Amino acid sequence: METTCGVPKDVFLSVAKTLVENSGSERTSAFCYAVGWTQHSVGVQYIRTAAIIQLLLGNMGRPGGGIMALRGHASIQGSTDVPTLYDLLPGYIPMPHAFHHTSLDAFIERESGSTGGWGRMKAYMVSLLKAWWGERATPDNQFGFQYLPRITGDHSAYRSALKMLDGSLKGYFLFGQNPAVGSANSKLHRFALANLDWLVVRDLVEIESAAFWSRGPEIMSGEMKTDDIKTEIFWMPAAAHTEKDGSFTNTQRLLQWHHKAVEPRGDARSDLWFMFHLGRIIRAKLAGSSDAKDRAVLDLTWDYPGAGDTQDPDAEAVLKEVNGVDAGGNPLTTFAELKDDGSTACGVWIYCGSYAHGVNQTARRKPGTEQTPVAPEWGWAWPANRRMLYNRASADPSGKPWSERKRYVWWDGQQRKWTGNDVPDFTADKAPDYVPPEGATGDAALPGDAPFIMQADGRGWLFTPMGLKDGPLPTHYEPDESPVRNPLYAQQSNPARQILKHRLNPRNENGDGRARYPYVMTTYRLTEHHTAGGMSRFAGVLSELQPEMFCEVSPELAKERGLVNGGWATISSSRAAIEARVLVTDRLTPVRVEGRIVHQVGLPYHWGFQGLSKGDAANDLYGLVLDPNVHIQDDKAATCDIRPGRRPH
């Protein structure tokens, strides 16, 4: 481990000892991670490793345990749940594939589990289709299943950028995204945006993705000419979260409602307003169509009530649709009420109950002094207002708490049900000694001591034979670009990683060619700035607090390369060269890997060429090498060079 990772043996053993000693019946430990774990070509396997360790130490489903993903946005969890991912429908239902899912029955047969929580997939799916197509969704037309678009392969954001470059993708919407500086290989993305027919950018300010055609680095260098760019750009002013009603879903799956504080200024509008009225106008233009392909749009339920001069749709009406209703239009209280016969409609099955009893449960704000420490009346958590997933594991196989001090949910033998401080993540009346009868399906097929109810066997899996594209168990691979060889295997990097090949996406050499790019670079956030800078570099106070793009280097690297604190440095890769002010700091500790010192360069990724505080984009340096499971970029570890002085202008 020391040779491979550069972490001193005594430090590693100290961490391991602390973790083990703080795990057991009386104590629990949690893993808290951020994108530093995920943005790797083996990012999913890092999280799997944490899950395996927590399962082995007994830290899953117990208070103070588990794994906490620290998000960079207020509603990253929400945008995953509902979702923004191309291969999912709301509530983590797989997106239909053109070749595998030719009918609703084929979809259910392929994607539904015969045991466990996914055994009710048809109820989730049919209720979703009813929410979208209402009375038009009937058993005769498979509840509108054929209206759903299909995927045919990888339609992720980075693959889409390559499709822009080859001319097969003509138009693009950007909602709060800024790939011109915020995505890996930002230069490639600027060229991609310049090859579109049209681009819609909705944001608070004129971000780089809306201004690349006039003030981008390639315009300044002459690599692009404004007159040659064919893209027609529509920059639409967006309302901030303080200017609209809605909900956030945070990393604990907690939905919290935010109320509009002020009206948006000028022409700024909410995302909800934009999408609703865009859909309304498209439907009006198609109203007379007899073309079968237009029925999917024309048959949609698209009738949200509006308010005020702008007719901004009522966000609570959307939440009610998300929550779901029965055949009489009454709000549902839990996803257990969903049916597969078309008698229920629910926009997001895991959010069913967020509008239970006709009350916006996400807007609850009961003070902590008036409720238990679990705080079940502060907002609402999916599913079923459950604050901890798999909490059956907080009790031993017989149903007794592992620890009275940390008791959470337990089996009440007198009442013959699970009870406790939280909503049990288990069938309420399933006894700990329950044994499934022969031929049982769905939840009934899981025994009373199997807490992990979304798994087919109810168990926590150390070995994962399905679902991951790069192996059933984690192992060590070097990043795609590394100054060292893999000490464990002849296979240097993840063999399943995605390498997107394009002339604008060259790769730094490994092995014998590493002398050209001998250092490791990594990106991270600053407290004073927010992601790609659209919400912070345009604000005077925040720009004063962090006024310039900088790079962090150790005193040893500064000496080796002649870098001066406060001076300029040029950081380069095979993709680009950027400049930054030098910050010499002990934070970037050199590590000893394979018997030699490896230096690191730290790069905040908030800067771009717009705003009050301007600077080069760190993401220009990174290539498009992706994790094979979720297509996330490998930008927490790649190679670079660093030299004193400013880059060529």
Side-chain angles (χ1 to χ4, degrees):
M1 185 284 309
E2 186 175 52
T3 300
T4 303
C5 302
V7 179
K9 178 180 177 180
D10 59 337
V11 174
F12 172 78
L13 291 176
S14 175
V15 172
K17 181 181 179 182
T18 302
L19 179 61
V20 171
E21 290 180 348
N22 199 60
S23 303
S25 60
E26 292 297 324
R27 304 187 67 84
T28 50
S29 296
F31 277 126
C32 301
Y33 75 90
V35 291
W37 272 16
T38 56
Q39 292 180 352
H40 293 270
S41 55
V42 287
V44 167
Q45 295 289 359
Y46 284 162
I47 315 307
R48 275 277 297 135
T49 303
I52 289 172
I53 292 172
Q54 291 295 69
L55 283 168
L56 292 172
L57 294 178
N59 285 326
M60 296 299 282
R62 303 187 61 209
I67 302 172
M68 179 70 73
L70 305 177
R71 311 297 196 183
H73 281 287
S75 200
I76 289 293
Q77 183 68 55
S79 65
T80 310
D81 296 342
V82 175
T84 54
L85 302 176
Y86 78 91
D87 56 350
L88 291 178
L89 291 169
Y92 302 93
I93 298 172
M95 189 74 184
H97 194 286
F99 309 127
H100 302 150
H101 304 128
T102 55
S103 67
L104 176 60
D105 288 342
F107 177 87
I108 297 302
E109 182 179 358
R110 188 180 181 95
E111 302 299 337
S112 178
S114 60
T115 61
W118 285 113
R120 301 188 71 243
M121 171 73 84
K122 188 172 183 180
Y124 309 151
M125 187 65 169
V126 170
S127 297
L128 172 63
L129 296 171
K130 288 293 292 186
W132 284 352
W133 284 288
E135 295 179 354
R136 303 283 187 173
T138 67
D140 292 339
N141 68 356
Q142 304 178 70
F143 298 103
F145 180 77
Q146 299 299 356
Y147 286 165
L148 287 172
R150 302 293 199 270
I151 59 174
T152 56
D154 180 1
H155 305 284
S156 60
Y158 287 116
R159 183 69 67 182
S160 296
L162 297 190
K163 289 183 177 297
M164 296 180 209
L165 288 168
D166 68 22
S168 60
L169 197 158
K170 304 293 186 180
Y172 209 57
F173 284 88
L174 287 175
F175 290 81
Q177 299 290 315
N178 194 5
V181 297
S183 294
N185 200 334
S186 302
K187 179 177 181 178
L188 179 146
H189 282 80
R190 294 190 291 269
F191 272 95
L193 296 176
N195 203 43
L196 291 167
D197 288 347
W198 55 266
L199 171 68
V200 176
V201 179
R202 298 198 70 254
D203 219 301
L204 309 180
V205 293
E206 190 183 16
I207 58 172
E208 285 80 4
S209 293
F212 69 91
W213 60 276
S214 61
R215 291 185 291 279
E218 290 72 35
I219 300 296
M220 302 303 156
S221 67
E223 294 172 90
M224 286 187 192
K225 293 183 179 180
T226 297
D227 291 345
D228 295 338
I229 296 174
K230 63 175 183 175
T231 313
E232 184 176 11
I233 299 171
F234 301 88
W235 174 39
M236 312 292 285
H241 66 278
T242 51
E243 299 171 332
K244 56 190 176 185
D245 294 326
S247 65
F248 291 130
T249 307
N250 71 15
T251 190
Q252 295 164 273
R253 300 167 289 101
L254 183 68
L255 281 73
Q256 299 176 90
W257 194 261
H258 61 86
H259 297 275
K260 182 191 293 185
V262 294
E263 291 294 328
R265 292 182 295 179
D267 290 330
R269 298 288 185 270
S270 68
D271 294 334
L272 184 55
W273 179 94
F274 181 86
M275 291 308 300
F276 173 72
H277 288 289
L278 177 62
R280 178 183 58 79
I281 293 167
I282 290 173
R283 282 159 56 86
K285 288 182 176 293
L286 295 177
S289 173
S290 59
D291 195 327
K293 69 175 172 36
D294 295 332
R295 297 314 315 170
V297 176
L298 291 172
D299 288 351
L300 280 169
T301 57
W302 206 257
D303 52 0
Y304 310 102
D309 294 338
T310 62
Q311 286 295 290
D312 201 9
D314 181 0
E316 280 207 10
V318 178
L319 181 65
K320 183 177 180 180
E321 180 185 69
V322 163
N323 174 89
V325 295
D326 61 20
N330 304 302
L332 300 170
T333 59
T334 171
F335 66 88
E337 298 172 359
L338 298 177
K339 303 288 194 302
D340 63 9
D341 60 3
S343 61
T344 58
C346 177
V348 187
W349 73 271
I350 57 176
Y351 284 11
C352 187
S354 59
Y355 205 78
H357 312 297
V359 175
N360 186 343
Q361 303 290 329
T362 74
R364 295 180 300 171
R365 295 292 184 272
K366 191 171 185 177
T369 54
E370 300 176 14
Q371 55 178 325
T372 69
V374 175
E377 295 183 73
W378 182 279
W380 184 90
W382 70 260
N385 202 30
R386 188 170 290 134
R387 303 304 165 112
M388 188 183 300
L389 292 177
Y390 305 128
N391 56 36
R392 163 66 177 90
S394 68
D396 68 16
S398 69
K400 297 178 181 179
W402 292 105
S403 161
E404 282 299 312
R405 184 177 67 88
K406 297 179 76 72
R407 68 200 312 236
Y408 198 73
V409 301
W410 55 90
W411 175 252
D412 187 322
Q414 290 186 327
Q415 297 188 59
R416 302 295 297 172
K417 70 174 186 178
W418 288 90
T419 187
N421 302 321
D422 194 2
V423 177
D425 193 13
F426 208 62
T427 304
D429 60 354
K430 182 184 286 187
D433 58 358
Y434 169 80
V435 177
E438 189 73 27
T441 60
D443 180 73
L446 301 183
D449 62 352
F452 299 94
I453 58 175
M454 298 308 288
Q455 297 285 68
D457 57 1
R459 308 297 182 187
W461 288 11
L462 306 181
F463 184 90
T464 308
M466 64 186 74
L468 298 179
K469 297 181 179 179
D470 50 359
L473 283 172
T475 190
H476 175 76
Y477 292 117
E478 287 294 312
D480 181 67
E481 296 177 357
S482 172
V484 299
R485 68 173 185 87
N486 187 343
L488 290 183
Y489 306 108
Q491 176 64 38
Q492 172 76 357
S493 303
N494 185 351
R497 71 194 185 283
Q498 282 186 287
I499 302 172
L500 303 188
K501 296 181 179 180
H502 193 274
R503 63 176 182 82
L504 293 173
N505 190 45
R507 296 163 62 206
N508 295 350
E509 295 177 352
N510 288 316
D512 294 338
R514 66 191 177 197
R516 186 177 178 188
Y517 301 109
Y519 306 121
V520 173
M521 59 180 176
T522 190
T523 58
Y524 45 80
R525 309 169 190 268
L526 302 174
T527 301
E528 298 82 1
H529 281 297
H530 189 69
T531 59
M535 294 176 68
S536 54
R537 285 188 289 102
F538 291 76
V541 172
L542 296 175
S543 293
E544 287 180 5
L545 289 170
Q546 291 285 8
E548 288 190 274
M549 168 64 178
F550 62 90
C551 61
E552 291 194 53
V553 298
S554 67
E556 295 87 344
L557 178 55
K559 182 178 180 181
E560 182 174 307
R561 274 294 194 247
L563 305 170
V564 177
N565 190 54
W568 288 97
T570 294
I571 307 98
S572 61
S573 73
S574 57
R575 274 83 54 182
I578 67 169
E579 64 182 16
R581 293 285 189 177
V582 177
L583 176 61
V584 180
T585 170
D586 291 329
R587 289 188 354 132
L588 270 293
T589 306
V591 294
R592 181 175 291 277
V593 180
E594 269 202 309
R596 68 184 187 88
I597 292 296
V598 176
H599 290 290
Q600 306 172 75
V601 178
L603 299 168
Y605 84 103
H606 305 293
W607 269 271
F609 52 86
Q610 291 287 91
L612 299 176
S613 174
K614 301 177 177 64
D616 286 351
N619 279 309
D620 282 7
L621 297 173
Y622 287 87
L624 301 187
V625 178
L626 315 176
D627 170 276
N629 300 287
V630 296
H631 316 295
I632 201 166
Q633 67 278 359
D634 194 9
D635 65 357
K636 295 306 174 191
T639 56
C640 71
D641 191 17
I642 185 168
R643 305 275 178 169
R646 306 191 69 170
R647 66 168 170 82
H649 283 68

